[in-house]
Amino acid sequence: MGIININELKKVYTTYERGSSFLDTVKSLFVRKPIDIEALKGITLNIEEGELLGFLGPNGAGKSTTLKILTGVLYPTSGKVDVMGYTPWKQRKAYVSRIGAVFGQKSQLIWDIPPLDSFEMNRAIYGIPSQDYRRRLDEMTQMLSLENIIRKPTRQLSLGERMKCEFIMAMLHAPRIVFLDEPTIGLDVIAKEKIRDFILEQNKRGVTFILTTHDLGDVEQLARRVVVVNYGEIVFDDTVDSLRKLSGIKKRVELATKKELPDLSGMPGVQLTGRTSPCHAELELDMEQLELNMFLQNINQNYVISDLTMSDPPIESVIKELYTQKERQPVTL
Amino acid sequence: MIRALDIYITSMKNSFAARMAYRADFFFCCIMIFISELLFPLLTMLIYSTGGTFPGWNLAEVMVLQGVFMLSKGAANLLFFGVVYNTLSRVREGTYDLLMIKPVSTLYISVASGFEPDSIGTVLGGLLVIAYSLGKLSQPNAMQWLRFALIFFLSVLVMFAFAVLMAATVFKWVGNSRIYEIFDNITAFGNYPRSIFSKSFQNIISFIIPVGIIAFYPASALLGKDISGILPSICICVIFLLGSLALWKFMLSRYTSAGG
């Protein structure tokens, strides 16, 4: 039994077809055709306490719907959810005092006043004793280097500074689980690094994180386990390393030769991905169709290899493949 | 209870601080609201100066009634009417989710975070009109003040019920920006003594939509007029309030949030 247990979770939305032409718009004033959208088709998932889970999927896959149900914002159509012994949408008030959330595109800070005043609001809402509040605030502002920032009006802060303040907002009440929805969106590398370090530090202290992001750097540097949803279903659930191994049958090769290379894309199992000069090519090789040693031997004999770099395809290409496969069966390794 | 008060006071301080970021706009808004709210009393003065009257009410008495209406509306706008705009904008933008992940009643947090300092102009205007008009009448005794205070509390409760009712509807009718106008038009009848309306319309504003309790009954109590018909209106007030709270709960359960 994990800290989060989801069983056969389904959510169906009813929306209305409105059309795009002027005639459709006029018609929609009188008659609207309802459409049922199956956002979640029966998700089953268990998450252990202290995990840092990457929850991925393309836009409209069902990630945010799952997060909204897990944070008690939405009622599901059917299925069971048990988080720390609570059913989020039934015991909302008691439950949400034990969770935190950071939404990269929805701010909890009040725009015209300093973040410190917004933190004060959360102190009152969560009923945090003054001593604990002071201690946690000092500790987090130090960790995130925000000591001189939190007294400036929010509107004068950079995006990175605001996002760091969002983390303080979400964690002042010491939640056991924190939901992160695209927490590093639009941030520069320095701010991303600081926030990632903060998440890792909090995770070491036992906080469970559910991370939704389109930034695969977040996933590679933070998550140990990855769940990919698509079309309302889980299509991958395993470690980040296993996700990388999905691409094991392909290799990226960067070749430099002494003689001019021909167009190699005609060869079976070879895909040309880049060409900067006649003697230089970037290729993706499919090992199922091609013997690597035979290929290299052939190239060396005919064109003389002067330099060679080999690597696994980046995690992006694996994720892209998972995202573009329609109605596929769950991937197991 | 202490926590609820702490939340409200902290939110109130934050609203003031946020509004003070644009001080010139704040003072300008207060003055504009104050002037626009004086429209009804000025119209009344115009009617009486041309020889017209409201049956059973002299000019100063009608001014007291309209002052009470302003005071009730001002208090409502200042303390909790922000819940309507707050809910309206948050539901449309999908940021209502942020209130739902707080461990307090969503209605309470919506009310608390909707404190509107600009409405202080209406409150001051109401107090000024009441004070000026009472100066021209015999002074109310302690019992009249007590009755007024109790009925004025009901008046504010009716305003609260209106606010909750309107805020609840925006969960379904997202972006209903005309909602304030509908409210203003309905409650505008509360600016006049009941005696100017037909019997059937008096029944509507007493027993269906309790507009009469907003200003007519509190002003009558303060002026020592007959308020013997108030009991059914009080019952309607309570039903109206409970109905609006039930509607809020129902509509909140149908909240669908906005896209990812």
Side-chain angles (χ1 to χ4, degrees):
Chain A
M1 186 88 170
I3 195 169
I4 300 176
N5 304 285
I6 306 170
N7 193 23
E8 281 299 311
L9 188 67
K10 289 185 183 176
K11 177 71 184 177
V12 180
Y13 289 107
T14 301
T15 183
Y16 296 94
E17 197 177 78
R18 286 189 171 87
S20 55
S21 67
F22 179 70
L23 193 67
D24 288 337
T25 310
V26 174
K27 265 188 201 168
S28 75
L29 282 172
F30 306 99
V31 185
R32 292 188 304 173
K33 189 181 166 195
I35 308 163
D36 283 342
I37 294 173
E38 221 177 345
L40 297 177
K41 295 175 182 169
I43 281 182
T44 298
L45 181 66
N46 294 301
I47 300 164
E48 296 299 323
E49 181 148 27
E51 270 199 64
L52 208 165
L53 179 95
F55 195 60
L56 310 180
N59 295 325
K63 302 185 302 291
S64 293
T65 303
T66 310
L67 281 201
K68 282 172 187 171
I69 292 172
L70 288 179
T71 48
V73 172
L74 290 183
Y75 287 65
T77 306
S78 66
K80 282 184 183 170
V81 175
D82 180 302
V83 190
M84 296 177 282
Y86 296 98
T87 303
W89 60 94
K90 285 185 184 163
Q91 294 146 296
R92 190 188 63 80
K93 272 193 265 180
Y95 167 68
V96 295
S97 64
R98 287 159 178 81
I99 64 160
V102 174
F103 299 98
Q105 301 191 66
K106 293 174 188 173
S107 179
Q108 297 196 54
L109 301 168
I110 303 170
W111 189 243
D112 291 313
I113 58 174
L116 190 59
D117 291 336
S118 299
F119 300 156
E120 189 62 27
M121 188 68 200
N122 263 17
R123 182 207 52 75
I125 289 172
Y126 288 94
I128 308 167
S130 291
Q131 255 187 334
D132 291 351
Y133 168 73
R134 207 62 260 168
R135 183 176 50 77
R136 283 180 210 147
L137 183 62
D138 289 346
E139 188 187 46
M140 285 194 273
T141 46
Q142 211 172 4
M143 281 175 82
L144 291 163
S145 314
L146 288 172
E147 293 95 332
N148 302 318
I149 302 294
I150 56 172
R151 285 177 177 80
K152 288 183 187 171
T154 301
R155 67 187 143 86
Q156 289 177 9
L157 305 184
S158 69
L159 181 62
E161 289 166 342
R162 287 205 301 272
M163 194 50 73
K164 288 177 194 169
C165 290
E166 295 285 350
F167 270 86
I168 297 183
M169 278 293 271
M171 301 200 65
L172 269 174
H173 58 289
R176 282 175 66 193
I177 302 173
V178 178
F179 296 92
L180 306 174
D181 191 358
E182 299 190 50
T184 58
I185 192 166
L187 302 187
D188 63 48
V189 282
I190 308 287
K192 273 184 189 175
E193 196 178 280
K194 198 83 185 171
I195 283 178
R196 285 170 185 163
D197 288 346
F198 179 79
I199 295 170
L200 284 172
E201 179 57 35
Q202 295 297 325
N203 182 240
K204 271 187 206 157
R205 296 179 186 192
V207 180
T208 306
F209 284 91
I210 315 297
L211 167 70
T212 296
T213 183
H214 290 298
D215 184 336
L216 295 172
D218 286 347
V219 179
E220 287 187 290
Q221 290 183 38
L222 296 173
R224 286 181 289 276
R225 180 180 164 199
V226 178
V227 169
V228 181
V229 285
N230 203 0
Y231 297 97
E233 289 174 312
I234 292 176
V235 293
F236 179 88
D237 180 0
D238 213 315
T239 60
V240 177
D241 287 339
S242 303
L243 186 65
R244 284 200 192 96
K245 280 179 196 156
L246 272 184
S247 66
I249 52 168
K250 287 188 178 170
K251 287 282 175 202
R252 282 205 162 181
V253 176
E254 215 174 307
L255 268 179
T257 52
K258 289 188 175 163
K259 292 182 191 170
E260 196 172 313
L261 280 166
D263 181 9
L264 296 168
S265 56
M267 288 174 74
V270 178
Q271 195 192 339
L272 187 71
T273 54
R275 189 87 198 244
T276 49
S277 72
C279 294
H280 182 268
E282 287 167 25
L283 311 165
E284 193 165 284
L285 306 182
D286 187 340
M287 301 297 133
E288 276 186 346
Q289 297 182 52
L290 185 79
E291 288 261 347
L292 182 64
N293 58 345
M294 294 293 283
F295 171 76
L296 292 177
Q297 214 173 0
N298 181 9
I299 296 289
N300 197 32
Q301 268 173 9
N302 296 310
Y303 310 103
V304 188
I305 298 173
S306 61
D307 195 12
L308 173 77
T309 314
M310 282 184 60
S311 61
D312 290 326
I315 199 167
E316 280 90 343
S317 59
V318 184
I319 293 286
K320 195 175 155 190
E321 201 177 315
L322 284 171
Y323 283 8
T324 49
Q325 285 179 2
K326 283 200 171 189
E327 310 285 341
R328 60 175 288 155
Q329 291 300 307
V331 175
T332 47
L333 291 161
Chain B
M1 187 65 192
I2 292 169
R3 191 168 142 215
L5 204 63
D6 189 14
I7 292 171
Y8 195 87
I9 291 170
T10 310
S11 182
M12 202 169 77
K13 281 183 195 167
N14 283 349
S15 295
F16 255 116
R19 204 64 189 92
M20 284 309 116
Y22 309 98
R23 283 179 305 171
D25 184 59
F26 171 71
F27 289 122
F28 185 70
C29 276
C30 283
I31 292 165
M32 288 310 292
I33 289 172
F34 177 76
I35 292 169
S36 66
E37 292 293 346
L38 286 178
L39 183 72
F40 277 108
L42 289 173
L43 264 175
T44 306
M45 288 171 86
L46 191 69
I47 291 168
Y48 275 81
S49 67
T50 54
T53 57
F54 296 138
W57 290 69
N58 64 34
L59 175 63
E61 287 172 338
V62 179
M63 296 276 279
V64 168
L65 185 146
Q66 292 178 343
V68 170
F69 186 87
M70 277 173 73
L71 188 63
S72 178
K73 197 174 163 188
N77 283 344
L78 185 73
L79 298 174
F80 51 75
F81 234 87
V83 68
V84 183
Y85 179 71
N86 196 11
T87 312
L88 184 79
S89 58
R90 282 178 176 273
V91 168
R92 192 174 56 214
E93 291 160 11
T95 52
Y96 201 81
D97 302 5
L98 299 174
L99 297 188
M100 291 189 77
I101 58 167
K102 302 291 179 198
V104 283
S105 146
T106 47
L107 177 59
Y108 186 72
I109 191 77
S110 305
V111 167
S113 51
F115 181 81
E116 283 185 355
D118 291 11
S119 299
I120 205 130
T122 314
V123 173
L124 292 176
L127 288 173
L128 197 74
V129 172
I130 293 170
Y132 172 77
S133 311
L134 279 182
K136 298 189 169 198
L137 296 164
S138 57
Q139 292 307 297
N141 59 34
M143 184 52 80
Q144 283 168 268
W145 276 112
L146 184 67
R147 278 189 191 148
F148 167 74
L150 289 173
I151 303 170
F152 185 74
F153 176 72
L154 285 174
S155 161
V156 176
L157 270 190
V158 167
M159 286 295 205
F160 181 71
F162 267 116
V164 175
L165 196 72
M166 290 194 290
T169 59
V170 302
F171 283 110
K172 180 72 182 162
W173 294 292
V174 181
N176 185 1
S177 55
R178 299 280 179 188
I179 202 151
Y180 273 117
E181 288 168 38
I182 299 169
F183 165 75
D184 271 346
N185 289 330
I186 292 173
T187 53
F189 297 110
N191 264 304
Y192 303 102
R194 271 187 352 148
S195 54
I196 69 163
F197 302 116
S198 67
K199 200 75 190 161
S200 56
F201 195 76
Q202 282 185 32
N203 287 336
I204 290 172
I205 60 170
S206 297
F207 307 127
I208 297 174
I209 307 168
V211 173
I213 208 92
I214 296 174
F216 174 76
Y217 282 117
S220 298
L222 188 62
L223 297 169
K225 289 179 177 284
D226 178 31
I227 52 164
S228 55
I230 196 176
L231 206 61
S233 276
I234 293 174
C235 296
I236 298 300
C237 266
V238 175
I239 293 168
F240 193 59
L241 179 66
L242 294 177
S244 66
L245 292 173
L247 184 74
W248 170 272
K249 208 173 167 186
F250 173 73
M251 295 301 248
L252 185 66
S253 71
R254 297 173 76 89
Y255 174 59
T256 54
S257 187

